[in-house]
Amino acid sequence: MEILWPYENGEVGEFYYARYDHPALAEVERALGALDGGSAVLFPSGTGAATALALGLLAPGDTIALASGAYYGTGRLFETLARWGLRHVEFDQTGPPPDGMQLLWLEAPSNPLLTMPDLAAAADYPAPVVVDSTVATPVGLRPLEHGADYALHSATKALGGHDDVLLGVVVCRDPAAADALRRFRALTGISPAAEPARLLLRSLRTLEVRVARQAASAAVVAERLSTHPKVSTVRYPGLGCLISFDVADGEAARRVETGVRLIRNATSLGSVASLLESRHRWEGDRVPAGLLRLSIGLEDVDAIWADLAQALDNA
Ligand code: PLP
């Protein structure tokens, strides 16, 4: 497919150059906007969406209040942006946010400790409020209906759902804010290509049934994990596909992640395939050594449990 559309009689049409817009992008943004109840702006990854939102909204000297325990990469991104004068502080998102911030960044639920933000406490905040609702998905939570200004997703996860798409999206409550973000996207070139946008459209057709089944299976697996003698803590917020749980130590976690057969030992979440990994390898400074993150896929729930149980029994 070409990335340009010729002018007609010298006039610029709806599409002219793919960095600004293209048909698959326009179509998938309409679908994503409807899911979250706002105006969607697509980016080449969830991290690209976060970068564009932070740089598009803020100026040097501004401070972001970030939910502690939010996706590790988000804190790393803000550390990287410190070179350009953006500051961030962490706070406990289960309580009221700190005063005087220029942007509030919540995560619903946080990955991988799975705390839920106090959305009511953040609703009247004088600065813009972003909710990264990647794990909840719009099927589980529509943050704009709870007073947030922006819902952000790594569409790489449940929205894409098949481990073959890297994309991110910001859904804005205010259509003018979406237009400003689109202008920023075109000027900075953080623009998504057509092929992943088309793959995402395919995936969205099955989003609701996938998430419903994943959440139902996750509730069953979380319940069974909570009575397993090798498991000490189970975290499951009651929505979405993601569970985290602790085994004795890092050695035991390694035996579990290398002992599963049906469940894939890989990073990421929200896929049709169940995925499990020790998070200590990535964020050892802030999670227990024995923490395992499990994303429940569409396999038969008893087959998922049988695989996990044999790996735990042998750990
Ligand atoms: N937000 C959350 C909650 C995530 O889990 C991730 C990735 O793991 C991201 C954002 C970043 O998304 P991407 O990998 O698409 O850049």
Side-chain angles (χ1 to χ4, degrees):
M1 211 196 75
E2 290 192 322
I3 51 81
L4 57 80
W5 292 267
Y7 308 135
E8 282 177 33
N9 301 321
E11 296 296 324
V12 177
E14 183 184 1
F15 303 109
Y16 45 97
Y17 187 64
R19 177 156 50 79
Y20 292 87
D21 204 358
H22 50 77
L25 177 55
E27 193 179 343
V28 79
E29 285 184 344
R30 276 194 295 276
L32 291 164
L35 277 169
D36 256 311
S39 303
V41 188
L42 194 71
F43 292 92
S45 69
T47 306
T51 301
L53 192 55
L55 294 181
L57 289 179
L58 299 175
D62 285 348
T63 306
I64 304 166
L66 172 64
S68 55
Y71 169 57
Y72 195 59
T74 304
R76 299 298 303 276
L77 164 66
F78 295 158
E79 274 166 28
T80 304
L81 296 180
R83 266 178 68 197
W84 288 274
L86 278 190
R87 292 192 276 258
H88 79 285
V89 294
E90 296 201 353
F91 78 104
D92 175 3
Q93 68 167 351
T94 64
D99 291 332
M101 302 288 126
Q102 282 70 48
L103 184 64
L104 211 56
W105 199 287
L106 312 175
E107 198 169 288
S110 64
N111 166 16
L113 295 174
L114 299 170
T115 65
M116 282 299 280
D118 184 342
L119 294 173
D124 295 327
Y125 200 76
V129 177
V130 181
V131 178
D132 180 337
S133 41
T134 296
V135 175
T137 81
V139 179
L141 179 76
R142 287 161 50 110
L144 305 186
E145 289 176 358
H146 296 266
D149 300 287
Y150 300 93
L152 182 144
H153 303 273
S154 165
T156 313
K157 309 298 188 309
L159 295 180
H162 294 68
D163 298 326
D164 56 5
V165 167
L166 188 68
L167 283 173
V169 62
V170 177
V171 187
C172 311
R173 176 214 287 280
D174 176 6
D179 286 343
L181 205 50
R182 277 195 199 97
R183 271 195 304 280
F184 187 83
R185 175 179 69 185
L187 291 170
T188 54
I190 315 178
S191 305
E195 186 57 23
R198 270 196 296 270
L199 283 170
L200 182 55
L201 271 168
R202 166 220 54 186
S203 296
L204 292 182
R205 292 190 205 111
T206 56
L207 179 70
E208 241 184 275
V209 284
R210 283 188 285 110
V211 173
R213 178 166 162 125
Q214 286 169 326
S217 297
V220 171
V221 172
E223 178 63 32
R224 293 181 187 175
L225 277 169
S226 66
T227 60
H228 195 285
K230 296 260 177 85
V231 174
S232 55
T233 304
V234 181
R235 303 171 199 86
Y236 182 62
L239 82 174
C241 63
L242 201 63
I243 300 169
S244 70
F245 61 96
D246 298 350
V247 292
D249 52 27
E251 294 300 306
R254 180 145 192 114
R255 285 194 292 275
V256 176
E257 69 169 2
T258 56
V260 287
R261 299 284 170 260
L262 172 70
I263 300 167
R264 302 177 81 192
N265 183 202
T267 197
S268 203
L269 60 100
S271 164
V272 294
S274 294
L275 305 173
L276 174 96
E277 72 162 330
S278 155
R279 286 301 294 176
H280 201 254
R281 60 161 57 79
W282 302 117
E283 46 188 319
D285 53 329
R286 62 173 206 168
V287 300
L291 183 143
L292 287 155
R293 189 182 73 184
L294 172 61
S295 174
I296 298 293
L298 298 184
E299 306 90 341
D300 176 73
V301 66
D302 290 324
I304 296 171
W305 175 247
D307 189 34
L308 193 56
Q310 65 77 27
L312 281 165
D313 292 343
N314 294 326

